[in-house]
Amino acid sequence: MDPTAAAALESWNVPPGMVVTLLLTLWVYTRGWRQLRRQMPQRFGGARLVAFTAGLATIFVAIASPLDTFGGLLLQVHMTQHLLLMMVAPPLIWLGAPATPLLRGLPPAVLKHGLGPFVAWPALQRFGHRLTHPIVCWLSFVVATWVWHVPALYELALRSPAWHQLEHVSFLLTALLFWWPVIRPWPSTPIWPRWAMIPYLLFADIQNTIFSSFFAFSEQLIYPAYAAVPRLWGISVRNDQAAAGAIMWVPGSVAFLIPLGWVVVQWLGAPSLGRTQLSAASVALEAGGAHGPWDLLNAPVIGPLLRWRHFRHVLQTIMLVVAIAVVVDGLRGPPMAPINLAGVLPWTYWRGFSVIALLAAGNVFCMACPFMLPRDLGRRFLPARWRFPKPLRSKWLAVALLLLYLWAYEALSLWDSPRSTAWIIIGYFVTAFTIDGFFRGASFCKYVCPIGQFQFVQSLVSPLEVRVRDTDVCQRCTTYDCIRGNAQQRGCELHLFQPKKVGNLDCTFCLDCVHACPHANVGVLAVVPGSDLVRDPYRSSLRRLSRRPDVAALALVLAFGAFANAAGMVEPVLRWQRQVTVSALLLSAVVVAALALGLCVLLGRLLSGAQVTARELVCRFALAFVPLGVGMWVAHFTFHLMTGLRSMVPVVQRVLVDRGSTLLGAPAWAQPMSAASQDWLLPLQLLLLGTGLLLTLYVDWRIATRCVRRAPRALGLMMPWASVAIALYVAGLWIITQPMQMRGMLMH
């Protein structure tokens, strides 16, 4: 046997006191749990006992196993030990709702004459209430994490067994405090509302990412003690330190993001995460409150603006003026992209703000689309009476245009050519004006516009959706103004009949249906993000997505394209591009993606025995990649937006100076046009990407359970698709941690 392996097997250190304490605690809990299960079987099922036992077992493994011994030789092992004590054991213990079982499990005399009066002591209850306040819980957890990893204290714990035990006890106790308001073990009373746990966990994950990044990227040796011990398996001190950071980073973030997603679904009032059908978003939200789902149209300030019929025209006019300025500067201004409106505004600002708006509110860009204003004016004299050609009434043309864009962006360096950008915008105006001038409906938006298709697909994970408030009102309606229109307001141009509309696909957020409805029954309602990806109902104008391979192809191109677009800006890939053409790289990516999909279908059906057609599997599971793609798009574009946030100032100054105005002064080209990457930017990117992966895996599981009823077979069906998603996530981690090319910016 390998000497290291033998040493690992022999290095169990089982403290008798700890073992007795854990076993006694488990015995008392089990005794109380049995009594409570007879009285409250719905509240104290077998899962409670399993969770509590697993929490105690995790503590035993962290303290008594070879992890404790090898933690003094490898930092990554020590970090794994800390991860178990802080991220795994405490939530499992609280999921067991231990307070009542532990009290009920005590001998009656001990409970009545000993512990009972002490627990009922008002001063102790007040102290416990203050101790479990979320601010105290969060700060104690963060302070313990950072203080104990200060080099002096950390190495003191390595040298002294007593200090080491104190370190572990403080980690466990502060972690128990941290997870208390998140789990809310019964019968505790929450101090903060449920939604407050979203920033609570979010900021905890951000600080964890900052903490982990010190280890992952530091060139300095943080703990010199590890340089003085034998190096196991040839792992260098620096590699060990980087691996420790990665362990706290990725699994640590997952430990925060999983409950974060759980809290979001709880807050929005979704049904059980099991096999309970995820109903329409409005029904799910109504389960959480007596007044129905939250409506953006009822919000102060923004609500009245959205209800104003001319608000969209105001937005379109503003965007039209900006687009004209970009075109003029692109054609007549300097050819250098970093000092031209056409090089900075579309590729840095518009892309960044549009994806952030998508994630926050939905398809805001289409609402303000400048290309529609000239089209609407042109319809006063153009016929717009023909139907769009039947062979083109699908998403395949848009898929081809998106692939063309992904190729041209790299091959023709569109981002570096203001004139090309200007001509693309002009082409958009001409195409929209021509197509919608001769074909009825919004044919350009629905079948052609690549930007619109991007917005449609990404808004599937938006928290807002244009939908009816009460379906009973629609059943009594006889005029159907939401789709037909009336004398004052046109109906939906994309022929989305609101009572049958599901999700945000093909919805431009024009709000024509809102203004046309005579019953004021259409709103911009809050929905569970991503819930539309799980279900497969009949959808107005789109039918069932399980029968729409064109929609599946669109989702896949945008999801995989997010990673391809970002990868094209990192140095290792740029070196490959110098040796291989962009066309060859894109073709290779398409072939690899197609082979991966075929393999997923084959393996999924083999592992699950599912009698589902290959087309339906691809169409259903392709949509599950949307959240991961959105996470990558937002992480990538946010990086460029934040790092280039100052780049617009000297460009606007230059435009005004060229027009003879010194209102804003002379352009300060000597100042760096790109801001330094803030410490919070990388953690934010990782958070966005990780959240996208978790939502993708969740949607994979929900789709699989709808295709196959038994859980083991459903797991076999989803595993190939989940593996591809995880591989993309790992690729995304690599991409966003690489030096990124600062396109469209002057570097000093």
Side-chain angles (χ1 to χ4, degrees), residues 337-378:
I339 62 176
N340 193 295
L341 281 176
V344 175
L345 192 57
W347 303 112
T348 298
Y349 281 76
W350 171 76
R351 293 198 307 180
F353 283 122
S354 65
V355 295
I356 292 173
L358 269 171
L359 197 61
N363 193 358
V364 176
F365 173 76
C366 284
M367 175 190 289
C369 178
F371 307 120
M372 294 298 101
L373 195 58
R375 180 210 69 168
D376 290 343
L377 296 175

Side-chain angles (χ1 to χ4, degrees), residues 214-486:
F214 285 132
F215 296 91
F217 301 117
S218 176
E219 296 295 331
Q220 302 296 323
L221 181 60
I222 299 175
Y223 304 124
Y226 285 106
V229 297
R231 304 311 306 160
L232 301 181
W233 301 292
I235 301 175
S236 68
V237 181
R238 296 290 171 75
N239 289 341
D240 179 36
Q241 185 170 284
I247 288 170
M248 288 299 291
W249 197 334
V250 180
S253 290
V254 171
F256 289 119
L257 293 176
I258 289 177
L260 178 63
W262 174 50
V263 169
V264 169
V265 173
Q266 277 189 325
W267 177 50
L268 291 174
S272 167
L273 292 181
R275 290 186 177 179
T276 303
Q277 182 177 359
L278 188 62
S279 59
S282 61
V283 176
L285 289 169
E286 286 169 3
H291 302 289
W294 182 79
D295 191 343
L296 182 63
L297 298 184
N298 295 330
V301 183
I302 187 63
L305 282 175
L306 291 174
R307 290 196 299 269
W308 181 36
R309 288 180 54 194
H310 302 294
F311 179 64
R312 189 189 188 202
H313 292 148
V314 172
L315 292 180
Q316 289 176 321
T317 302
I318 294 172
M319 292 293 291
L320 179 62
V321 172
V322 173
I324 292 173
V326 169
V327 169
V328 171
D329 204 41
L331 295 177
R332 303 181 59 183
M336 289 182 61
I339 62 176
N340 193 295
L341 281 176
V344 175
L345 192 57
W347 303 112
T348 298
Y349 281 76
W350 171 76
R351 293 198 307 180
F353 283 122
S354 65
V355 295
I356 292 173
L358 269 171
L359 197 61
N363 193 358
V364 176
F365 173 76
C366 284
M367 175 190 289
C369 178
F371 307 120
M372 294 298 101
L373 195 58
R375 180 210 69 168
D376 290 343
L377 296 175
R379 279 184 170 175
R380 296 177 180 273
F381 56 87
L382 291 176
R385 69 166 66 97
W386 301 322
R387 293 197 66 188
F388 202 63
K390 188 174 181 179
L392 298 179
R393 278 183 238 151
S394 68
K395 303 296 184 183
W396 289 116
L397 178 58
V399 169
L401 291 174
L402 280 168
L403 286 172
L404 177 63
Y405 160 75
L406 290 173
W407 169 82
Y409 181 79
E410 293 294 337
L412 305 180
S413 298
L414 296 180
W415 52 272
D416 198 33
S417 174
R419 288 184 62 85
S420 298
T421 302
W423 281 112
I424 290 174
I425 296 174
I426 293 172
Y428 247 98
F429 276 111
V430 172
T431 306
F433 187 87
T434 303
I435 291 178
D436 284 353
F438 291 95
F439 299 100
R440 64 189 185 209
S443 299
F444 175 76
C445 301
K446 191 168 187 175
Y447 304 118
V448 181
C449 178
I451 296 176
Q453 308 308 319
F454 178 93
Q455 303 287 323
F456 294 155
V457 172
Q458 312 309 324
S459 62
L460 287 172
V461 295
S462 167
L464 295 177
E465 178 184 333
V466 177
R467 59 176 297 115
V468 298
R469 297 188 179 96
D470 187 348
T471 55
D472 291 338
V473 174
C474 294
Q475 291 177 358
R476 296 191 297 268
C477 180
T478 58
T479 58
Y480 304 127
D481 291 13
C482 62
I483 192 168
R484 293 176 177 172
N486 50 46

